[in-house]
Amino acid sequence: MKGTLDLDIAFTNGNIHTLDDIGTIYPAVGVRKGIIVVLGSDAEVKRLVGTKTEVIDLKGAAMFPGFMEAHSHLLMYSYLIRGIDLSSTSVNKIEDITRLVKEATEQVPEGTWIKGSRYAEYYLAENRHPTRYDLDPISPNHPVILFHTSLHACVLNSVALKEFGITRETPIPKGGIREHDPETGELSGLFHDAAKVEIFKQIYTRDLKKMTKKERVAMIGNGLRKYAEVGLVFAADASVMPATLGIYKDTLDAGELKIRIYTMNHVDFCEPLIESGIGFGFGNERLRIGPIKIFLDGGISNRTASLKAPYLTPPYDHGLKVLSREELINMFYKYNDLGYQIAVHCQGDDGLTDLLDAFETILGPHSDNPLRHRIEHAGCLYPDLLKRVADMNIPIAVQPSFIGELGDGILEALGPERAHGVFPYRSMLQAGICLGGSSDCPVTLLDPRLGLRDAVLRRTPSGETLGPNESLTMDQALRMYTRDAAYLSFDEHLNGTIEVGKRADFTVMDIDPRTVKPEGVPDIPIVMTVVGGEIVYVSHNGIVG
């Protein structure tokens, strides 16, 4: 039998967790042309080893189906990580932010944009957003823009406002908010949602155009490496427009697209895609056109998700809606008829009510949902709404790290009673809703191990447990990042479990996260990441050859 089907690569002496229905574990797996062709004992797999087969001794490590990121912003992340890190590990007060901004201005010529991201006002000592009045004294000659960790808000200094020609009289885009100083009525520099998007898209597209093709490929290559380093084999990029799609294609052509990409095409920029005749699912095994992405409301932690009851923090309102119910329904008819999957960002219960009404117009109250139209986040999915989602078979891309990183902001915004009802993962699964795990990076840190921990513990940074009855088991959490995430992108026949005939996409961890306390899961080393039989990441202490 030896030599009749020589393997390209074989992994032996491991614990191959297939995550099939009965949890089968094998010692070894063999791969040919990027596909799993044999599972079994070391001896069974080694019988197919030829002279050119690479044999990897896993030394007892735990191999899982490759972890999949059902919703993130890979290219945006690759762009933003070049700026200042303003996360709670780096800043504790506004003075820390201004110090870092001032240091950045001293390193570049006047007029150069200073960018930072991931601040959260509820983790600052002042418990407020920075404003242009904080930034202006230390950046009189540099435009500055700082992005809230939710990516639903940003703050600009006066130089940046002047560069964009924005004053308090400038019309505000629908679905946006520009905050004003309560005493003077002048702009504070703090913009939310559509007002933030209007600014970001101009800076983002301008900077990308200034880069050479080689620089753009290098930029995203850095982000791709970081995804592979945490065990990710796949990412759905939730904010793709023509310029960014072109960068992905250039990266693919350069042979540098090391993980699989599923594009979620921003509705405001999708017409060129549609007019070109490129339909849903077009592409290849590394780069594929996914859904039309629509924003309906904002975020809970920055108080713009659309709620039925008001927020408990200033300005004590109900959030915002980017679209009316009627506009949403019209969009649904259009993109559903064109055969596109539809993915909608929605967090608040009022927004979710409109969203489910719109889905019901095209699916009916009970459906098999053939295009797998999906919801992104679904934070305030209270019981009446949850049942409607289940009845229409709508999958949801969820982010457990919203609790682990942003949970205290959610508690402050909603109060304990409502906050304990957000992200009801166990109830969702019990109702038969498919949940695809993700981080929404760069909104939260890029690491599925954090998501595994937070899906089980549901613990905020201050130690509060949000909705303890909604905790998942570690096994359920693992399936959320593998087989269930695969369903959201129509990949379950190729990814999500380790079976003969499926892609050889693997995440190798030092030990099985089900064997340690949830708190310890983020510390488990990622040993190796494999995509299509190619090792795209191996740790310094990894096992090769």
Side-chain angles (χ1 to χ4, degrees):
M1 185 175 179
K2 183 176 176 66
T4 59
L5 184 63
D6 288 353
L7 302 172
D8 295 325
I9 188 167
F11 300 88
T12 63
N13 189 28
N15 291 286
I16 316 298
H17 298 272
T18 64
L19 296 190
D20 62 12
D21 290 338
I22 58 174
T24 308
I25 303 172
Y26 293 99
V29 57
V31 177
R32 186 170 183 267
K33 294 183 178 180
I35 301 297
I36 301 165
V37 295
V38 60
L39 284 158
S41 67
D42 285 351
E44 288 169 327
V45 171
K46 286 180 177 179
R47 281 200 292 268
L48 299 179
V49 168
T51 56
K52 296 182 178 180
T53 303
E54 182 179 11
V55 180
I56 306 295
D57 182 353
L58 292 174
K59 299 178 183 177
M63 175 183 281
F64 292 95
F67 292 163
M68 302 178 74
E69 176 84 340
H71 177 117
S72 67
H73 303 266
L74 192 157
L75 211 153
M76 192 183 298
Y77 165 73
S78 304
Y79 170 78
L80 289 174
I81 57 174
R82 304 179 310 157
I84 307 170
D85 176 17
L86 301 175
S87 63
S88 59
T89 57
S90 301
V91 303
N92 298 302
K93 54 187 180 297
I94 289 176
E95 182 184 344
D96 294 334
I97 293 176
T98 56
R99 173 180 52 80
L100 291 172
V101 171
K102 187 174 188 298
E103 289 174 0
T105 65
E106 294 168 349
Q107 298 171 26
V108 294
E110 292 184 2
T112 304
W113 274 85
I114 306 298
K115 306 180 188 77
S117 62
R118 301 204 73 241
Y119 84 85
E121 79 284 5
Y122 42 84
Y123 292 133
L124 299 176
E126 299 84 351
N127 196 26
R128 68 169 175 86
H129 293 269
T131 69
R132 69 183 176 106
Y133 302 110
D134 300 304
L135 299 175
D136 286 352
I138 49 87
S139 57
N141 301 305
H142 294 78
V144 176
I145 185 167
L146 308 178
F147 295 97
H148 189 265
T149 191
S150 67
L151 288 183
H152 283 270
C154 67
V155 59
L156 297 91
N157 70 348
S158 293
V159 179
L161 290 172
K162 184 176 180 180
E163 183 162 324
F164 280 108
I166 297 175
T167 69
R168 63 180 178 180
E169 285 79 29
T170 303
I172 301 172
K174 182 182 178 183
I177 297 170
R178 294 195 191 115
E179 292 198 16
H180 297 77
D181 183 281
E183 295 183 3
T184 67
E186 294 293 333
L187 291 173
S188 70
L190 182 60
F191 292 7
H192 294 274
D193 290 280
K196 172 243 135 183
V197 171
E198 180 183 59
I199 295 297
F200 178 75
K201 72 181 181 183
Q202 293 182 60
I203 297 175
Y204 187 43
T205 54
R206 181 199 64 199
D207 286 353
L208 293 179
K209 285 179 181 178
K210 284 182 179 178
M211 296 179 187
T212 65
K213 181 189 291 188
K214 185 176 181 180
E215 288 171 335
R216 290 190 293 264
V217 170
M219 179 188 73
I220 195 172
N222 183 43
L224 288 162
R225 282 189 294 275
K226 292 183 181 298
Y227 273 60
E229 286 171 6
V230 294
L232 291 167
V233 304
F234 169 102
D237 189 325
S239 292
V240 172
M241 48 188 162
T244 52
L245 181 58
I247 296 172
Y248 277 125
K249 183 181 181 301
D250 291 341
T251 308
L252 176 68
D253 292 344
E256 297 298 323
L257 198 61
K258 296 301 185 181
I259 72 171
R260 305 186 195 279
I261 300 297
Y262 187 64
T263 71
M264 299 174 70
N265 309 284
H266 196 301
V267 68
D268 291 346
F269 311 101
C270 71
E271 286 308 311
L273 183 73
I274 293 169
E275 290 170 3
S276 72
I278 296 176
F280 173 65
F282 178 83
N284 62 21
E285 62 177 18
R286 286 295 169 109
L287 178 60
R288 188 159 41 99
I289 299 297
I292 302 297
K293 168 72 179 301
I294 298 171
F295 284 87
L296 183 52
D297 68 355
I300 301 173
S301 68
N302 74 310
R303 288 65 160 160
T304 55
S306 178
L307 302 181
K308 292 182 178 180
Y311 287 95
L312 301 183
T313 52
Y316 306 104
D317 62 10
H318 294 259
L320 58 82
K321 293 179 185 175
V322 178
L323 299 166
S324 70
R325 181 177 176 277
E326 291 70 27
E327 288 172 323
L328 190 63
I329 289 171
N330 289 336
M331 284 184 175
F332 276 23
Y333 275 122
K334 176 179 178 178
Y335 300 120
N336 183 75
D337 289 348
L338 287 169
Y340 283 93
Q341 184 184 38
I342 299 168
V344 184
H345 165 108
C346 192
Q347 285 275 35
D349 55 338
D350 193 39
L352 284 163
T353 299
D354 282 1
L355 175 57
L356 296 178
D357 288 346
F359 273 133
E360 200 167 291
T361 62
I362 60 171
L363 296 176
H366 298 272
S367 174
D368 59 0
N369 189 13
L371 285 172
R372 298 184 191 175
H373 301 315
R374 46 190 277 187
I375 302 174
E376 311 304 303
H377 317 307
C380 299
L381 195 72
Y382 301 134
D384 57 325
L385 300 172
L386 190 152
K387 183 179 186 305
R388 295 181 67 190
V389 170
D391 287 345
M392 287 186 276
N393 193 31
I394 299 171
I396 302 175
V398 297
Q399 299 75 32
S401 290
F402 280 6
I403 299 173
E405 289 192 41
L406 313 180
D408 290 324
I410 294 170
L411 260 172
E412 183 180 81
L414 301 181
E417 183 177 354
R418 282 187 291 169
H420 283 295
V422 300
F423 308 116
Y425 298 147
R426 180 183 292 181
S427 295
M428 290 173 174
L429 290 183
Q430 288 175 341
I433 298 170
C434 182
L435 305 181
S438 64
S439 67
D440 201 10
C441 168
V443 173
T444 66
L445 291 172
L446 176 71
D447 195 333
R449 292 170 295 184
L450 296 172
L452 294 173
R453 177 199 67 188
D454 293 339
V456 176
L457 291 180
R458 298 179 63 90
R459 189 177 296 162
T460 75
S462 68
E464 181 79 21
T465 301
L466 283 191
N469 293 333
E470 295 295 345
S471 294
L472 300 184
T473 67
M474 187 58 68
D475 188 68
Q476 288 172 322
L478 279 167
R479 292 171 190 273
M480 197 163 66
Y481 281 89
T482 52
R483 57 189 294 173
D484 294 345
Y487 178 85
L488 269 69
S489 53
F490 290 84
D491 283 312
E492 72 276 11
H493 61 298
L494 293 170
N495 285 84
T497 57
I498 298 178
E499 299 179 72
V500 171
K502 287 195 170 185
R503 291 169 175 159
D505 291 1
F506 309 129
T507 300
V508 182
M509 305 180 76
D510 188 52
I511 56 174
D512 183 349
R514 292 170 292 191
T515 64
V516 301
K517 292 182 177 179
E519 295 89 337
V521 170
D523 298 323
I524 299 174
I526 299 294
V527 175
M528 186 182 297
T529 306
V530 181
V531 180
E534 175 190 359
I535 298 172
V536 297
Y537 168 75
V538 62
S539 70
H540 293 304
N541 299 319
I543 36 187
V544 178

